Amino acid sequence: MSANSPLPARLITKRELSEYLGGSTKQVDKLMRQRQIPFTKLGHRTLRFDREKVIRALGRLEIRAAE
């Protein structure tokens, strides 16, 4: 892939993402439905995720406790 390509060098599957996050694919589905994580649709049923973008999106959802 070239440096100007809009897709990252490595997109991961829903199962790979759920394993990385330590959750289930159902939890990933819920985050997708709520539009809380970005995903790329490559076909009718093919979804892929850019792990770095997902991590940034989840970081924006973090709620920090008041000290």
Side-chain angles (χ1 to χ4, degrees):
M1 296 191 118
S2 70
N4 295 331
S5 175
L7 294 176
R10 173 79 167 104
L11 294 173
I12 62 174
T13 65
K14 186 189 306 184
R15 178 174 287 147
E16 290 170 327
L17 180 61
S18 66
E19 289 172 2
Y20 178 78
L21 296 175
S24 69
T25 56
K26 291 193 183 298
Q27 289 171 320
V28 173
D29 286 334
K30 181 179 177 183
L31 291 169
M32 289 171 48
R33 275 194 312 275
Q34 295 173 343
R35 301 285 191 208
Q36 293 182 334
I37 59 172
F39 58 93
T40 302
K41 198 166 186 179
L42 298 176
H44 178 65
R45 294 171 46 182
T46 305
L47 299 171
R48 293 294 183 266
F49 302 85
D50 179 336
R51 183 174 24 208
E52 297 305 316
K53 287 182 179 179
V54 170
I55 291 168
R56 283 194 301 271
L58 292 174
R60 288 190 295 268
L61 297 175
E62 181 179 3
I63 299 172
R64 293 177 182 88
E67 294 181 18

